[in-house]
Amino acid sequence: MNNTTVNRDMHYLQLLSTSFPTIALAATEIINLEAILNLPKGTEHFLADLHGESQAFQHVLKNASGNIRRKVSELFKGDIRETERRELCTLIYYPEEKLELIKAAEEDIDDWYHITIHRLVSVCRDVSSKYTRSKVRKSLPEEFSYIIEELLHERTDDIDKAAYVNVIVDTIISTGRADDFIVALCNVIQRLAIDQLHILGDIFDRGPGAHIILDTLRQYHSWDIQWGNHDMLWMGAAAGNDACICNVLRLSLRYANLATIEDGYGINLVPLATFAMETYKDDPCEEFIPKLLKGNELDEKTIRLTAQMHKAISIIQFKMESQIYKRRPSWKMDDRCMLEYIDYKRAICRIGDMEYEMKSCHFPTVDPSDPNKLTPEEELLMQRLHHSFRVSEKLRKHIKMLLSHGCMYSICNQNLLFHASCPLNSDGSLKKVELYDGECFSGMELMHNIGMLVRAAFNTDTDKEMRQYARDFFLYLWCGPDSPLFDKSKMATFERYFLIDKETYKEEKGYYFLLRDSEAICDRILDAFGVVGPNRHIINGHVPVHASKGENPIKANGKLMVIDGGFSEAYHHETGIAGYTLVYHSRGFQLVQHEPFMNVRDAIQRGQDIKSTTQLVELSAHRMLVADTDKGTELRKQIDDLRQLLYAYRHGILKEKTRM
């Protein structure tokens, strides 16, 4: 360190000195940061493709993907029975509800309180052991912060402190605060069990609780998201893309799942229902009968109405999409203007040189001479639906959360995270994709510029023409061939609804999906994104892993982890499981494979948990510390800056400041 270095950074050091105005304060901070570098690495959890399954998602957060159950077993195995350990876990997951059941059945509640509080303190001490006291303190509820800190750092096996600890617990009980204290302690355990939550896209669609998941995340201490194609669809709808609005409604109606639409965001579907009943009153709409998931039982009349609404919005969707494809010729998606390729008299659809028979050909709102034009009634309906999406305050808040916590990709601790794909050429090189006005990008630049384009759709200071393009581009991100969120030849929605020949349903996957088993290809992608280190990985979701058929989520000799295991009930029959959690702790990677979560009631009353199996993916040769992480790199830079500040103070370059 020399005067030249210090002088060059003088402006920054002057700013730094406002936070650390004396040698003592700067030195204390260096000591603190050096100590933090030697703590164990915090536990990261990776989840993908939640698809509205809010109960299962919340339970996974509460049990930390089985980590809390494992810690309880390690702490109390041999000391208490397995049934008691299960009861303790259920209490940690659902403290308010479990307390009510216990108080109704327990004869000596004060004795139960005393035993349980000591056990909960032991669990809390274990999950907090890898954090600084300062970080633990920040996670504590204000009303019990002092008491919990005292209990965490004093032990009953210390003879000198045993009476002190026992009196604290006795007083909590005698003052009638035991329930509140237990609830607070359980919430602290849940919070400290997961240091950072990564969601690799697709919070929305299929399941009924996407809005509940986002409400949960709104209160969560530390999370990020790499946007998925279904998230992008909802973001497009919120930005005012009418084709995205139609797709959002179509998917909700396909699974007869209107809870998120109506209850979550207050979208008024009465105009759609009225239009559909009148327009398709004589149409059986057989292709549009909804797929009913378990527990979603509807009467015949409701199924009929849902099918009519489903068809009505689908036809409008095909029209709205085609209008955008015509407006954006650079996308080269004219071949997806499917209503133009129908011979309405013969009930035949032409695709290329082939003709295909249609299941039905009843299109009362389609003018064969101008098939992409909305009828006046459809125009009015779309105006109302557009307004409903645009004025939903809760939807606007949730999209703002996705923008503030999310991006197209992230690099964290030598792991490259994205939802679906990095577009490739046939030889495995990164594919250049045109975004706007002839500009082409690949790899990291492509992801970054897509992120900027997404945000441009919501920025009022964006040029009007650019903002309109950004709004349209949400549709390309949803179903464009070179979209990193889709990366297939086509989205065969029309074909699945209307054509008999199932060969037309095939969606050819992009080269990323064909080549991703190659370690060399994964290394090429990691190099392009600047991910370095001996234990670097790509982690993504999007395509369900068919575990029941023996497919392995670990690919490319461990370089790639695909963690979409079918969280959504709609995928359970395909995957044979109910999702994965990838856990990255100080010892390495573990993949937790979940079986279906039944319901919260059984979890509380019977102590039923998500059954899971854990697969060791990669163990580290040494226990990883904060020093081995991105946070460690950041802290070392801060330490270097503080040492320069100390040098400046001690050599008279800067004067210490005495606080008044």
Side-chain angles (χ1 to χ4, degrees), residues 469-517:
Y469 184 85
R471 208 177 274 142
D472 287 350
F473 198 70
F474 284 109
L475 178 61
Y476 190 88
L477 289 171
W478 166 244
C479 61
D482 290 328
S483 165
L485 300 179
F486 184 62
D487 200 6
K488 295 180 185 178
S489 58
K490 66 180 180 182
M491 185 174 285
T493 306
F494 177 90
E495 289 88 337
R496 283 190 291 267
Y497 282 138
F498 289 112
L499 302 188
I500 294 173
D501 190 340
K502 292 186 178 181
E503 283 296 309
T504 64
Y505 304 177
K506 289 184 178 179
E507 301 170 345
E508 299 295 333
K509 293 179 180 179
Y511 286 109
Y512 173 80
F513 299 109
L514 301 178
L515 300 173
R516 65 181 183 175
D517 283 344

Side-chain angles (χ1 to χ4, degrees), residues 309-573:
M309 295 168 69
H310 187 184
K311 182 168 184 178
I313 203 64
S314 297
I315 301 305
I316 297 173
Q317 173 193 313
F318 298 140
K319 292 182 178 184
M320 299 306 305
E321 289 177 343
S322 295
Q323 290 177 19
I324 295 178
Y325 298 150
K326 299 291 186 184
R327 189 159 66 235
R328 306 299 176 192
S330 64
W331 297 359
K332 300 176 182 176
M333 293 183 70
D334 271 8
D335 61 329
R336 299 311 300 158
C337 300
M338 299 303 297
L339 297 177
E340 297 180 1
Y341 303 119
I342 299 173
D343 184 326
Y344 292 88
K345 292 181 180 179
R346 297 168 57 214
I348 293 292
C349 182
R350 295 184 304 277
I351 300 178
D353 297 328
M354 301 292 291
E355 290 187 341
Y356 296 95
E357 185 181 352
M358 298 183 68
K359 298 175 185 177
S360 66
C361 195
H362 183 62
F363 297 100
T365 67
V366 176
D367 177 0
S369 65
D370 192 0
N372 300 323
K373 184 179 180 181
L374 298 184
T375 65
E377 293 80 12
E378 288 174 326
E379 286 273 11
L380 180 59
L381 172 59
M382 281 311 303
Q383 289 172 14
R384 290 175 174 174
L385 292 173
H386 182 101
H387 176 76
S388 241
F389 273 85
R390 294 290 278 166
V391 300
S392 172
E393 184 179 352
K394 188 166 188 175
L395 179 58
R396 186 164 58 248
K397 286 180 179 177
H398 282 174
I399 297 305
K400 188 175 181 181
M401 283 173 53
L402 293 180
L403 290 168
S404 62
H405 286 264
C407 55
M408 285 292 295
Y409 77 100
S410 180
I411 299 171
C412 184
N413 296 328
Q414 301 177 28
N415 298 309
L416 171 60
L417 319 179
F418 53 78
H419 173 65
S421 160
C422 177
L424 301 176
N425 296 307
S426 59
D427 63 355
S429 59
L430 274 64
K431 187 173 187 177
K432 286 191 174 293
V433 178
E434 182 179 341
L435 289 191
Y436 180 69
D437 199 23
E439 288 190 294
C440 297
F441 304 96
S442 64
M444 185 168 66
E445 280 193 324
L446 174 63
M447 299 286 203
H448 170 75
N449 282 285
I450 287 175
M452 297 296 288
L453 197 55
V454 166
R455 288 181 164 82
F458 295 96
N459 292 336
T460 53
D461 58 351
T462 303
D463 171 80
K464 185 178 179 181
E465 184 179 340
M466 171 63 89
R467 193 176 184 193
Q468 181 58 56
Y469 184 85
R471 208 177 274 142
D472 287 350
F473 198 70
F474 284 109
L475 178 61
Y476 190 88
L477 289 171
W478 166 244
C479 61
D482 290 328
S483 165
L485 300 179
F486 184 62
D487 200 6
K488 295 180 185 178
S489 58
K490 66 180 180 182
M491 185 174 285
T493 306
F494 177 90
E495 289 88 337
R496 283 190 291 267
Y497 282 138
F498 289 112
L499 302 188
I500 294 173
D501 190 340
K502 292 186 178 181
E503 283 296 309
T504 64
Y505 304 177
K506 289 184 178 179
E507 301 170 345
E508 299 295 333
K509 293 179 180 179
Y511 286 109
Y512 173 80
F513 299 109
L514 301 178
L515 300 173
R516 65 181 183 175
D517 283 344
S518 164
E519 186 176 355
I521 295 297
C522 289
D523 277 329
R524 182 180 295 179
I525 294 170
L526 289 163
D527 288 343
F529 279 80
V531 184
V532 297
N535 298 306
R536 57 184 188 166
H537 311 88
I538 298 171
I539 306 173
N540 62 252
H542 185 62
V543 179
V545 175
H546 295 79
S548 61
K549 297 178 182 178
E551 185 180 358
N552 193 341
I554 312 303
K555 302 178 184 298
N557 198 26
K559 284 286 172 71
L560 172 65
M561 306 180 200
V562 182
I563 61 168
D564 179 5
F567 230 95
S568 170
E569 185 189 323
Y571 289 131
H572 290 181
H573 70 283

Side-chain angles (χ1 to χ4, degrees), residues 99-324:
L99 275 168
E100 293 304 312
L101 294 177
I102 289 169
K103 287 191 294 183
E106 186 64 49
E107 293 181 3
D108 189 347
I109 193 64
D110 284 358
D111 183 57
W112 181 88
Y113 279 144
H114 204 281
I115 293 170
T116 302
I117 288 173
H118 279 293
R119 288 175 179 172
L120 289 173
V121 168
S122 295
V123 178
C124 192
R125 185 181 295 122
D126 188 82
V127 298
S128 65
S129 61
K130 61 172 64 175
Y131 304 118
T132 64
R133 286 196 182 191
S134 172
K135 185 165 183 174
V136 173
R137 190 179 302 121
K138 290 173 184 175
S139 71
L140 301 179
E142 187 176 345
E143 60 178 335
F144 293 118
S145 178
Y146 171 75
I147 297 171
I148 294 176
E149 271 203 275
E150 288 296 294
L151 292 175
L152 288 179
H153 299 112
E154 304 295 350
R155 307 175 71 97
T156 53
D157 54 7
D158 182 342
I159 298 174
D160 295 330
K161 290 294 183 72
Y164 171 71
V165 172
N166 286 326
V167 166
I168 290 176
V169 176
D170 289 340
T171 308
I172 291 169
I173 297 167
S174 66
T175 56
R177 298 306 309 280
D179 284 8
D180 293 332
F181 185 76
I182 286 172
V183 170
L185 203 51
C186 291
N187 288 334
V188 171
I189 292 169
Q190 289 180 31
R191 176 170 180 171
L192 293 177
I194 301 174
D195 188 41
Q196 179 71 24
L197 175 65
H198 306 285
I199 298 176
L200 278 75
D202 280 1
I203 289 174
F204 287 98
D205 291 329
R206 293 187 173 83
H211 58 296
I212 299 171
I213 292 174
L214 283 159
D215 281 340
T216 302
L217 290 172
R218 194 175 184 186
Q219 307 298 324
Y220 204 70
H221 57 278
S222 185
W223 65 280
D224 56 68
I225 180 170
Q226 292 70 54
W227 302 319
N229 52 321
H230 288 268
D231 306 315
M232 200 60 71
L233 195 60
W234 278 78
M235 292 165 79
N241 182 312
D242 287 339
C244 290
I245 289 173
C246 292
N247 270 286
V248 161
L249 294 174
R250 179 183 62 79
L251 285 166
S252 298
L253 290 160
R254 185 184 182 199
Y255 292 95
N257 165 33
L258 301 180
T260 299
I261 294 284
E262 295 182 308
D263 302 336
Y265 296 121
I267 306 298
N268 181 11
L269 295 183
V270 172
L272 175 57
T274 304
F275 171 82
M277 282 190 293
E278 177 62 29
T279 306
Y280 296 95
K281 59 186 176 184
D282 299 322
D283 188 337
C285 299
E286 291 179 359
E287 299 83 11
F288 294 88
I289 292 173
K291 297 176 182 291
L292 298 182
L293 301 180
K294 187 170 57 180
N296 188 12
E297 296 179 1
L298 302 178
D299 59 49
E300 190 175 331
K301 185 178 179 180
T302 304
I303 291 174
R304 166 89 174 127
L305 174 58
T306 304
Q308 290 170 327
M309 295 168 69
H310 187 184
K311 182 168 184 178
I313 203 64
S314 297
I315 301 305
I316 297 173
Q317 173 193 313
F318 298 140
K319 292 182 178 184
M320 299 306 305
E321 289 177 343
S322 295
Q323 290 177 19
I324 295 178

